[in-house]
Amino acid sequence: MCVGIIEGEKRMKKKSLFSLLTLVVMLVALAACGSKVNKSGVPNILKEKYTGYSKVYGYYSSIFSEGGSELAFDKKENKITNLNTNESKYFKVFPKDKLNSKAKGVLVKHEAELKGKDYFVIAVDNDKKTITDSILYGVVLSDGGNTIRIFEFETGNSDAYYDFTGKTNK
């Protein structure tokens, strides 16, 4: 009789352990699927390539050129390539709470157009280890990531800034 009770308790413990393990696996999977950004802070809806236009070039004109461009994003390497110029730069995402007050002011200025859209702030450089927040760009995604706008943060010493609008290359 005692042997039967002990065997039953072992089965109950195994079932409880299996149920707990299943719950943990489901929670981890749900958290991974539900994340809106990758570990670098880039929204998962960012597509690989966009074709679009900017009336003027940006500070980093080899990447952010004037006229029509095709921009490719490598989310694993955090790299942007302008396929027209074949030039690449690394980018780093700067979380909104880590921006300096001047940059936060630019976001306030654009608040109405950013409302309800996925956006992030980046800086670019040739070396991913030396990227600073001296020149920033807002990247705004809409239509499930199928439409992009990249605008250069106003620094106060120019009348025109890079303002790219584009659509994904499906």
Side-chain angles (χ1 to χ4, degrees):
M1 176 102 172
C2 287
V3 172
I5 293 174
I6 292 173
E7 290 296 319
E9 286 178 3
K10 284 183 182 179
R11 276 184 284 200
M12 289 294 282
K13 285 182 182 179
K14 284 181 183 180
K15 283 184 182 180
S16 294
L17 184 59
F18 179 74
S19 296
L20 182 63
L21 184 61
T22 302
L23 180 62
V24 168
V25 168
M26 287 175 55
L27 287 173
V28 168
L30 184 60
C33 292
S35 178
K36 290 183 78 172
V37 297
N38 68 16
K39 65 181 180 177
S40 300
V42 179
N44 292 327
I45 64 169
L46 178 71
K47 306 298 184 202
E48 192 174 302
K49 292 180 188 173
Y50 295 90
T51 301
Y53 179 86
S54 178
K55 192 161 46 170
V56 298
Y57 59 86
Y59 182 82
Y60 295 100
S61 60
S62 63
I63 300 296
F64 302 124
S65 58
E66 67 183 315
S69 302
E70 185 173 21
L71 299 178
F73 290 85
D74 182 338
K75 291 191 277 188
K76 289 182 182 166
E77 292 292 320
N78 278 22
K79 207 173 203 180
I80 302 174
T81 302
N82 184 320
L83 297 176
N84 294 20
T85 62
N86 206 28
E87 293 284 332
S88 296
K89 298 247 186 252
Y90 290 99
F91 70 89
K92 177 180 176 182
V93 175
F94 284 85
K96 291 171 219 89
D97 63 337
K98 302 287 187 208
L99 295 173
N100 61 47
S101 60
K102 192 174 188 178
K104 286 179 183 176
V106 172
L107 284 180
V108 168
K109 178 182 176 195
H110 293 278
E111 191 171 38
E113 59 196 281
L114 297 175
K115 190 171 186 167
K117 296 180 180 162
D118 289 301
Y119 68 93
F120 56 108
V121 178
I122 63 169
V124 299
D125 202 347
N126 290 324
D127 183 352
K128 62 172 90 174
K129 294 177 183 158
T130 60
I131 298 174
T132 68
D133 63 353
S134 60
I135 304 291
L136 295 171
Y137 295 86
V139 181
V140 185
L141 302 170
S142 54
D143 188 28
N146 291 317
T147 303
I148 193 168
R149 177 176 178 223
I150 303 172
F151 65 93
E152 188 171 11
F153 275 34
E154 299 91 342
T155 56
N157 55 4
S158 178
D159 291 334
Y161 295 92
Y162 183 76
D163 194 355
F164 175 88
T165 55
K167 293 197 175 278
T168 187
N169 301 342
K170 293 182 181 180

